Each structure stands twice: as structure tokens, then as C-alpha cells.
Amino acid sequence: GAVVSQHPSRVICKSGTSVKIECRSLDFQATTMFWYRQFPKQSLMLMATSNEGSKATYEQGVEKDKFLINHASLTLSTLTVTSAHPEDSSFYICSARAGTPGETQYFGPGTRLLVL
Amino acid sequence: GENVEQHPSTLSVQEGDSAVIKCTYSDSASNYFPWYKQELGKRPQLIIDIRSNVGEKKDQRIAVTLNKTAKHFSLHITETQPEDSAVYFCASRRALTFGSGTRLQVQP
């Protein structure tokens, strides 16, 4: 199956700093990428949807100025958590989809963020 | 937006028994329903999916049924094994609205 990578796998940062997470589709072109956040023992919550070359669409309640998403190419999307705070500590997972809506989404391995 | 409800939240079965997890969805326009298995600290893995033009799909020990009229779909795992122990999520819609998850524990 298709491979999606994420980097870094885990990051620890100080409160107030910014953290960038990369999501790459390694063997297919991802027209759409999704960013999810998962708190311990909870489900995945969609944060935003990004299409290559256009602005991301954020879900209700997700601050677009805090969670900056860039989908500059068909194989790379980045999520930047700006001015991170301890409550932003979570498991962030991206997924990528190649074709029209309904095509399988492939998930990255996730990035565990800990903000001290 | 889409609302997906999943039951039960936890399920414990004996090895060899069957396990059934159910989900309901709210958007009648949804036409794609995948099931994911997630082990602790790892990414969700697609185990089976179904599209709205069929009522049932089977892959070895795993099957999914869909009732569009009632807007619910179910995951069936037969002959459960300890390695089936994980959290299972149903999802709906193109951007994947996830259910709350079911923690399945298979007792050897």
C-alpha cells in the first residue's frame, strides 16, 4: 500500500516556541492531505483539510493562525504549531489521499508533541 | 457537520468468539465507510471499507455490513485472536469523521 511519512516522530519544546511537522507521501501524489489531533484514549479529531496549492480548510474551533498548514507540493504538507502551549501537547497525525473523494486515506505514523 | 456514533466503547471477548462493533452516521449523503485498527501509539490502519452501493463486504475473518436506510454500519470479526486486541474506529464521509473508538480486548 501507499506510504506516508511524518517527521519528527516526537518533539519536546518549550512553551511559546513554534514547532513544524512534515507529512510526506512517498510513493504517490496526494492531492489532499488531512491533519488530525488525537488526545490520549480519544478519537482522531480532524483539524484541517488541505489541497495542494490552495489554502487549508479548518474545522470549527481550530485556530488557523495557531495551526499553520502549507501544502506546497503534491507530496508534502506541513503543520506549524505556533506559540505552543502545554495544552497543545497531543498526537498529531496526517493522512493523504490520492484521488477523488472516497479514495483510501493513508495515515502517517504520527508526531507526539510535548510542550513543557 | 457529520456525526458518527460508535458502540460499544469497550468490548472484551474470549479467543475464538466473534466481536461486533456498530456505528451510526447522520449525513445521508455519506457514501464511504472505512474501519481502522489502531494499536497503542501507532497510526490507524485501514482494515476494511465499504461503499454505499453494496450492503456487505467480507475479507477473511473481517466483514462489514451497511444499512443505508437506517444509516448504520457494523464491523464483524470472527474467530478472534489475541492480536486482534486494539482500538477500532469507524469513519464516515470524505474527510473521515471518526467514531469515538472501541477498545477490543481478546482474552486468550
Side-chain angles (χ1 to χ4, degrees):
Chain A
V3 178
V4 176
S5 70
Q6 250 181 271
H7 178 81
S9 57
R10 67 179 59 182
V11 57
I12 301 173
C13 69
K14 293 182 179 180
S15 184
T17 60
S18 294
V19 174
K20 179 185 282 189
I21 303 170
E22 292 187 349
C23 177
R24 293 181 185 273
S25 56
L26 299 184
D27 53 0
F28 69 101
Q29 293 186 325
T31 54
T32 306
M33 287 186 169
F34 305 89
W35 286 95
Y36 294 85
R37 182 168 50 183
Q38 186 177 34
F39 292 107
K41 297 186 178 181
Q42 293 189 21
S43 187
L44 289 86
M45 299 300 297
L46 179 66
M47 299 174 66
T49 302
S50 72
N51 293 293
E52 185 265 339
S54 61
K55 289 185 178 181
T57 302
Y58 289 81
E59 294 297 301
Q60 193 172 8
V62 178
E63 300 175 58
K64 60 181 180 181
D65 294 330
K66 181 170 183 61
F67 299 99
L68 302 179
I69 292 172
N70 186 293
H71 192 163
S73 76
L74 285 171
T75 59
L76 173 64
S77 177
T78 61
L79 167 68
T80 301
V81 182
T82 62
S83 187
H85 291 286
E87 57 265 29
D88 298 323
S89 300
S90 187
F91 193 47
Y92 292 85
I93 307 178
C94 71
S95 71
R97 185 179 71 201
T100 56
E103 291 287 335
T104 302
Q105 287 192 28
Y106 298 95
F107 282 86
T111 297
R112 190 163 300 282
L113 171 63
L114 176 61
V115 185
L116 301 177
Chain B
E2 172 79 287
N3 184 41
V4 178
E5 295 190 359
Q6 184 172 344
H7 300 280
S9 57
T10 59
L11 179 60
S12 182
V13 299
Q14 291 294 126
E15 182 176 359
D17 287 350
S18 296
V20 180
I21 304 170
K22 298 180 180 179
C23 283
T24 60
Y25 61 98
S26 60
D27 186 356
S28 57
S30 294
N31 58 7
Y32 177 63
F33 307 93
W35 283 91
Y36 286 85
K37 175 183 180 182
Q38 186 180 31
E39 298 180 8
L40 189 63
K42 297 188 177 180
R43 77 184 84 192
Q45 297 276 9
L46 178 70
I47 55 172
I48 196 167
D49 58 12
I50 191 168
R51 300 183 193 278
S52 59
N53 57 345
V54 297
E56 183 174 359
K57 183 177 179 181
K58 190 173 183 180
D59 182 5
Q60 298 183 339
R61 296 187 296 111
I62 296 173
V64 55
T65 58
L66 171 65
N67 183 326
K68 282 196 66 181
T69 303
K71 291 192 283 189
H72 67 69
F73 57 111
S74 300
L75 176 70
H76 304 254
I77 306 174
T78 59
E79 300 173 33
T80 54
Q81 300 167 5
E83 51 265 37
D84 295 329
S85 298
V87 179
Y88 291 82
F89 292 99
C90 61
S92 174
R93 214 181 72 179
R94 295 172 293 178
L96 291 187
T97 302
F98 281 84
S100 51
T102 297
R103 187 172 300 276
L104 174 63
Q105 184 72 41
V106 179
Q107 307 287 346

